[in-house]
Amino acid sequence: MASPRLVVKNELEEPTLRLAVLIDADNAQAAVIEALLAEIARFGEATVKRIYGDFTSSASVSWKRVLQKYAIKPVQQFAYTTGKNATDSALIIDAMDLLYTRKFDGFCLITSDSDFTGLAMRLREEGLTVLGFGEKKTPDAFRNACHKFVFTEILRPSRITESDEPPPEVKTKKKSIKAKAVTKTVEQKPQFPEEFVLTALEQSVDDTGWANLSVFGSYLTKLQPDFDSRLYGYKKLSDLVKDKETLFEIEKRQTPGSDRAILYLRAKMQ
């Protein structure tokens, strides 16, 4: 079986992978489905979209509202025994059936459950790309079993909008209340992993001491599958690199025979 094209699409590539998207309804949020599918489209085509869960349960109401709109096939799975997750088994069985059709280049597993770690590892053993999507509570074991893991929190729209502002006549009265609400709503960005990033850059430079941005990005993901520039407030890796002037020197190089420029970088001498 031919190996699929790797892993994380850089900012200039076109998506080529044929992907099977499998959603664990018990451990995923319907609120992010639109942004989630848009994120998957960066990597390839969602050829199959299936979701697994007990859709007779009140907990699945939010999913039932979006299934038809986004052409996601529901796979009903009743909870046969209390305390046993039949949904996991159904998803894993389907994943293996799809694997053996040999029609897919990769799988997208949307879950925050570490029970799918073995499945992710098995798919990787077959040479397929495995993309994971889940909340920050997702255990390291599953996150690291994927080629790339995306936190769904960064796909959620900001909950602070202009509509949150109180009317002028009550603004003063509610000032302290609003301040408390904003404190709870705004999530603090994690500390930027400067040492890790510089180490990855050192390993991805060429003989001239410079690293292609795409190569650097791929190496970051190989070392830490859940690394994402959006966690630190940057839409793209190139934005992060350009903003960190104290860490990086950057250089744009013209591609021969093209008007496209490629970004190269190296660690700034201290």
Side-chain angles (χ1 to χ4, degrees):
M1 174 179 168
S3 298
R5 288 187 57 187
L6 175 84
V7 207
V8 180
K9 179 179 88 70
N10 68 36
E11 296 173 2
L12 300 175
E13 289 181 338
E14 291 298 323
T16 56
L17 302 182
R18 290 171 54 87
L19 301 172
V21 179
L22 307 181
I23 305 171
D24 174 12
D26 297 336
N27 289 284
Q29 301 295 320
V32 299
I33 186 61
E34 183 174 4
L36 178 65
L37 292 176
E39 182 73 11
I40 290 171
R42 295 179 57 239
F43 299 95
E45 178 188 359
T47 307
V48 165
K49 291 179 286 185
R50 298 181 187 177
I51 184 168
Y52 302 79
D54 184 359
F55 299 101
T56 64
S57 167
S58 58
S60 299
V61 170
S62 59
W63 276 114
K64 287 189 283 188
R65 296 190 186 120
V66 301
L67 297 184
Q68 185 173 4
K69 179 179 179 180
Y70 295 103
I72 303 172
K73 178 181 177 181
V75 180
Q76 171 63 31
Q77 190 63 45
F78 293 102
Y80 298 116
T81 306
T82 303
K84 300 295 184 180
N85 197 338
T87 299
D88 291 6
S89 299
L91 191 156
I92 292 170
I93 291 170
D94 258 15
M96 298 309 294
D97 286 343
L98 292 170
L99 165 66
Y100 290 122
T101 66
R102 307 298 183 189
K103 294 180 180 179
F104 300 95
D105 301 308
F107 281 72
C108 299
L109 304 178
I110 293 83
T111 182
S112 301
D113 191 342
S114 63
D115 288 348
F116 294 102
T117 302
L119 173 62
M121 294 172 65
R122 180 69 180 88
L123 294 171
R124 289 189 65 156
E125 288 174 358
E126 288 291 325
L128 300 183
T129 296
V130 181
L131 307 173
F133 300 82
E135 298 178 344
K136 290 182 179 178
K137 66 181 181 181
T138 306
D140 290 345
F142 177 63
R143 283 152 53 178
N144 292 328
C146 301
H147 286 101
K148 173 69 176 175
F149 187 88
V150 177
F151 292 114
T152 53
E153 284 88 349
I154 64 177
L155 304 178
R156 294 174 184 165
S158 174
R159 290 176 289 174
I160 300 179
T161 63
E162 293 181 3
S163 61
D164 291 325
E165 283 290 329
E169 63 271 17
V170 296
K171 187 175 290 188
T172 302
K173 183 178 180 180
K174 293 188 175 180
K175 185 176 180 180
S176 61
I177 299 175
K178 179 173 175 59
K180 292 179 181 179
V182 170
T183 301
K184 293 180 180 179
T185 303
V186 178
E187 186 174 348
Q188 293 295 319
K189 296 185 183 70
Q191 183 177 359
F192 183 70
E194 180 177 320
E195 184 177 350
F196 162 73
V197 169
L198 290 176
T199 300
L201 177 58
E202 183 181 350
Q203 297 299 319
S204 54
V205 297
D206 58 21
D207 293 339
T208 67
W210 290 83
N212 181 301
L213 179 67
S214 175
V215 174
F216 174 51
S218 294
Y219 200 83
L220 283 171
T221 305
K222 288 176 184 177
L223 291 177
Q224 188 173 312
D226 58 8
F227 181 87
D228 198 311
S229 60
R230 289 169 294 186
L231 290 171
Y232 310 101
Y234 301 95
K235 186 177 180 180
K236 299 182 293 185
L237 180 60
S238 58
D239 295 334
L240 184 155
V241 167
K242 291 174 183 177
D243 189 58
K244 298 291 184 181
E245 297 178 349
T246 59
L247 296 181
F248 308 113
E249 291 182 38
I250 61 174
E251 181 180 286
K252 287 186 177 180
R253 300 181 186 177
Q254 206 70 24
T255 304
S258 171
D259 58 357
R260 190 172 67 181
I262 296 178
L263 193 67
Y264 281 77
L265 68 154
R266 67 181 178 184
K268 180 168 285 189
M269 300 297 293
Q270 300 298 325

